[in-house]
Amino acid sequence: MDAFLKRILEYAKNLLSKLSQTQKLILIGVGALVIVGFFFLISFSSKQTEALLFQSPLEQFDFVRITNKLTEWNADYNSRDGKYIVVPDENTGAYLRMKIGQAGILPAGIKGWELFDTQAWTTTDFERDINKRRAIIGEITRHIKLLDDVEDVSIQVTMPEAQLYIDNEEPFTASVIITPSPFSDIITNKKKIQGIIDLIAFGVDRLKPENVVVTDNHGNILSDFDADEDVNYLTRAKEEWKIKEKLRLKTQSEISSKLKGVLGEDKVDVAVEIELDFDQKKIEKTEFIPIVKRQDNPETPYDETEVVLNVIRSEKDTSEYFEGVGFVPEGPPGVEPNIPPGYKEAMGEGTKYEKTENVKNYEVSQQISYIESSPYKLKRVSVAVWVDGSWKKVFDENGKPVITLEGVIEREYLPRTPEELKTFEEVVKAAIGFNPARKDTVVVKNIQFDRTGEFALEDAYLKKRAQMRKTLLSALIALFSIFIVTLAYRAAAREVSRRKRIKEEELARQQQLMREAALKSAEEEGAEVELAPEEKARLEMQENVMNLARDHPEEVAKLIRTWLAEE
């Protein structure tokens, strides 16, 4: 074996030695390509094989639902032709099919008109009818499942056999169960339910929308619109009442504010009732109107308009005249003509024929109007106005109000005149746009308002003012009297005090004179008189005061004036 390898190596060396440099490079390149190809082959052969998630092609609806769910799960998959889903291997496919089944989105395998793609020659009429029903239900189911608000739907259609007479035929009926998508409002949105009913009814012959029943997956009926019609009727009635009440209050407020501005805030009361016609009408009207040949000249005082009911559009005159032998129809030679005896001889004498025709085509002016009424129109207006008269206080000859025995002011009521009421009525009619053709009603009456409470408050106020005036006058008199008495008392007290002071001063002066006389007599006699300490202090103080008066007479005068003012 070793000798064989050695011979091969020697043969290869000899072969390489015989090759040129270019041939050697080519050989090396081919060898490298072989090696790279070998490695690629190994890598591709070791790669996992792919598998189909579902062997049959998927419908568009099922394909979208399943791919959306796989994307949500971050699964490894690819798609082909929009009908197949490819996964890495069969084990992954089995796992994903299990999860798809748990999520309830396995393809339904609903078949429509493809049921008729292949027909066996042994197929009976009964089987064809069944397949037709299945195809119709399948196609409608596909349509409904394409809606975003429907996650799943089940449809059952009953198709009775056609009868010889239409009156004996039973109607087609359909029952539908829908499973709403998450966060969908199809359960409460009646328009979407009506759309599903119309889709089913239009997709099945002889099926009327009223024979379709739709429920949700909980068994709640969604196609019962009778209650909604009652609600819509009540809603419309409420809206009409709101419009009527708003218009009534607006009219009443305008009339009341205008009259109150003239008569006074509490002199008038207004009630308004309005009838509105909410019937919607569409009228197509054709009118034949006269044609105006000449317009009226506004500068002249009379009307110069010329009108005609119609005008000639075209005219045709035809005149024919013939005189001579008339044509006698005869049969082929040898055959007697079918002419009464004697008529042939008369015809040879000559024939006269004359025809005159005059045809005129007239044009009539017409107007075609398409009238659609407004949401509502005013049908009738009724207005009632109460106007109060005026009250006048009764005064006496002195210009003071007359007070009755009950202690109240006497007043006189002055009613409104008929001319005033007529004026108010004309104002109200103008404000509402009075129209006798609508049978509008305006009533203005003079009615005496109850002023008992108002007059009682006014009388009480006047009484209170009079009482306050009397009380104030009495208080002023009492204060004045107290002031006078106080002044008299103070004057009397001051006079008594002055007299008392004068008496005391006189007594003190006399006592002083007596002392001085006694001292003088004692000095003259040379006798010494022993004075009491109080007497000495008083004499010393008196001497100081006298010295102060001699030295500062102005200050002493001020001090005395101050004492007098205090007294």
Side-chain angles (χ1 to χ4, degrees):
M1 185 69 180
D2 294 337
F4 178 73
L5 291 177
K6 289 179 180 179
R7 285 197 299 269
I8 292 175
L9 290 176
E10 290 177 357
Y11 177 76
K13 290 179 180 179
N14 295 328
L15 183 62
L16 290 175
S17 61
K18 295 178 181 180
L19 296 177
S20 62
Q21 188 69 23
T22 303
Q23 290 176 341
K24 290 180 180 179
L25 293 175
I26 293 173
L27 183 61
I28 292 172
V30 171
L33 289 176
V34 171
I35 294 172
V36 171
F38 180 74
F39 278 111
F40 270 105
L41 181 62
I42 293 175
S43 62
F44 277 109
S45 62
S46 61
K47 186 178 180 180
Q48 296 179 350
T49 59
E50 293 181 341
L52 293 176
L53 185 61
F54 297 101
Q55 300 300 322
S56 59
L58 299 176
E59 297 294 334
Q60 184 66 26
F61 177 75
D62 294 332
F63 183 82
V64 171
R65 287 200 307 167
I66 294 174
T67 53
N68 288 339
K69 186 62 69 174
L70 294 176
T71 303
E72 180 182 346
W73 294 337
N74 295 324
D76 185 10
Y77 74 96
N78 292 317
S79 61
R80 291 180 184 175
D81 303 331
K83 296 181 179 180
Y84 296 94
I85 299 176
V86 180
V87 295
D89 52 43
E90 185 58 34
N91 293 331
T92 305
Y95 173 73
L96 291 178
R97 281 193 293 273
M98 180 189 67
K99 292 192 65 176
I100 290 172
Q102 292 175 352
I105 58 174
L106 282 172
I110 298 172
K111 294 184 179 181
W113 296 113
E114 59 268 18
L115 289 171
F116 295 92
D117 292 343
T118 57
Q119 289 287 325
W121 64 274
T122 57
T123 304
T124 64
D125 292 339
F126 176 76
E127 291 176 340
R128 291 190 181 93
D129 292 339
I130 295 298
N131 289 337
K132 178 182 178 181
R133 181 182 301 183
R134 289 178 58 195
I136 293 174
I137 295 175
E139 291 295 334
I140 296 175
T141 302
R142 289 176 178 176
H143 276 73
I144 303 302
K145 283 190 174 184
L146 291 176
L147 301 177
D148 294 336
D149 296 298
V150 179
E151 184 172 348
D152 195 8
V153 63
S154 175
I155 302 175
Q156 179 64 38
V157 180
T158 302
M159 301 178 181
E161 295 182 358
Q163 301 294 327
L164 179 61
Y165 299 101
I166 298 178
D167 295 339
N168 297 332
E169 287 186 350
E170 296 182 2
F172 282 25
T173 58
S175 60
V176 183
I177 301 175
I178 61 174
T179 301
S181 299
F183 309 106
S184 173
D185 63 340
I186 192 171
I187 300 299
T188 57
N189 195 327
K190 298 300 181 181
K191 291 184 178 180
K192 294 181 179 180
I193 299 297
Q194 186 63 49
I196 292 176
I197 293 175
D198 292 340
L199 282 175
I200 297 173
F202 294 161
V204 181
D205 294 339
R206 296 171 52 192
L207 178 61
K208 297 180 180 180
E210 57 267 21
N211 294 331
V212 180
V213 177
V214 180
T215 66
D216 61 3
N217 54 334
H218 300 291
N220 300 318
I221 298 178
L222 307 178
S223 58
D224 186 10
F225 299 120
D226 294 337
D228 296 337
E229 291 180 358
D230 295 339
V231 173
N232 293 334
Y233 177 78
L234 293 175
T235 303
R236 179 182 175 184
K238 290 180 181 179
E239 294 298 327
E240 291 177 357
W241 182 84
K242 289 180 181 179
I243 294 173
K244 173 184 173 182
E245 191 66 12
K246 182 178 179 180
L247 185 59
R248 186 188 71 83
L249 293 176
K250 179 182 178 182
T251 305
Q252 180 173 310
S253 176
E254 290 178 353
I255 297 173
S256 179
S257 61
K258 297 298 187 297
L259 293 178
K260 287 180 180 180
V262 177
L263 300 174
E265 188 67 26
D266 57 346
K267 294 290 186 180
V268 65
D269 197 2
V270 180
V272 177
E273 181 61 29
I274 294 178
E275 295 182 14
L276 299 178
D277 185 6
F278 290 93
D279 295 338
Q280 299 293 315
K281 298 179 181 179
K282 293 182 180 180
I283 302 174
E284 180 179 350
K285 182 171 61 174
T286 302
E287 296 178 327
F288 296 93
I289 58 178
I291 301 173
V292 180
K293 295 183 65 177
R294 185 171 67 176
Q295 298 287 345
D296 179 33
N297 186 3
E299 297 180 357
T300 59
Y302 51 87
D303 189 3
E304 298 176 341
T305 306
E306 291 185 8
V307 297
V308 293
L309 298 179
N310 48 51
V311 294
I312 298 176
R313 182 174 184 178
S314 62
E315 185 176 2
K316 177 182 179 183
D317 292 330
T318 304
S319 179
E320 296 181 2
Y321 178 78
F322 173 77
E323 183 177 359
V325 179
F327 173 72
V328 179
E330 296 183 356
V335 179
E336 291 291 334
N338 190 14
I339 299 175
Y343 183 74
K344 183 176 180 180
E345 291 76 6
M347 290 182 61
E349 298 178 356
T351 303
K352 291 184 179 181
Y353 170 76
E354 184 177 359
K355 178 182 177 182
T356 303
E357 182 180 12
N358 179 258
V359 179
K360 293 182 179 181
N361 295 322
Y362 290 91
E363 186 70 27
V364 179
S365 178
Q366 65 177 4
Q367 179 181 1
I368 301 176
S369 304
Y370 298 93
I371 303 172
E372 184 173 354
S373 61
S374 59
Y376 64 88
K377 67 178 180 179
L378 196 60
K379 187 176 181 181
R380 187 170 179 268
V381 182
S382 300
V383 181
V385 181
W386 297 270
V387 181
D388 189 15
S390 58
W391 290 88
K392 180 181 178 182
K393 295 180 182 179
V394 180
F395 296 90
D396 56 12
E397 60 275 5
N398 297 325
K400 296 182 179 180
V402 177
I403 306 300
T404 62
L405 297 177
E406 290 80 8
V408 298
I409 300 174
E410 184 177 355
R411 298 175 177 86
E412 181 182 0
Y413 180 73
L414 302 177
R416 300 289 176 179
T417 63
E419 292 77 12
E420 290 179 321
L421 296 179
K422 186 65 176 178
T423 302
F424 298 151
E425 182 178 351
E426 292 176 355
V427 170
V428 173
K429 286 183 177 180
I432 65 172
F434 183 81
N435 187 1
R438 294 196 307 245
K439 297 182 180 180
D440 293 347
T441 305
V442 176
V443 178
V444 180
K445 295 292 184 180
N446 185 113
I447 298 179
Q448 180 177 343
F449 289 9
D450 184 13
R451 304 286 181 178
T452 304
E454 180 182 349
F455 292 161
L457 292 175
E458 185 179 359
D459 294 338
Y461 176 71
L462 293 177
K463 288 181 181 179
K464 186 176 180 180
R465 286 188 60 185
Q467 188 67 27
M468 290 180 62
R469 191 181 299 109
K470 291 180 180 179
T471 303
L472 183 59
L473 182 60
S474 301
L476 290 176
I477 293 174
L479 290 175
F480 183 73
S481 301
I482 293 173
F483 179 71
I484 296 299
V485 171
T486 302
L487 291 178
Y489 174 77
R490 292 189 64 182
R494 189 176 297 171
E495 182 64 22
V496 171
S497 178
R498 187 182 66 80
R499 292 181 179 181
K500 182 179 179 181
R501 187 176 64 253
I502 292 173
K503 185 177 180 181
E504 291 176 354
E505 290 178 354
E506 182 64 23
L507 181 60
R509 187 179 63 78
Q510 291 178 1
Q511 290 178 357
Q512 182 65 24
L513 291 175
M514 290 175 66
R515 290 191 191 92
E516 291 179 356
L519 291 174
K520 187 176 180 182
S521 61
E523 288 178 356
E524 290 178 354
E525 291 176 359
E528 293 183 0
V529 179
E530 187 68 23
L531 297 176
E534 292 83 1
E535 188 67 20
K536 290 181 179 180
R538 189 180 63 79
L539 291 175
E540 185 178 356
M541 184 180 297
Q542 184 177 0
E543 185 178 0
N544 291 333
V545 170
M546 293 176 65
N547 294 332
L548 182 61
R550 285 193 297 269
D551 296 337
H552 305 282
E554 295 179 357
E555 285 76 1
V556 174
K558 291 181 180 179
L559 180 61
I560 294 173
R561 283 196 296 270
T562 302
W563 287 346
L564 293 176
E566 290 177 356
E567 292 178 357

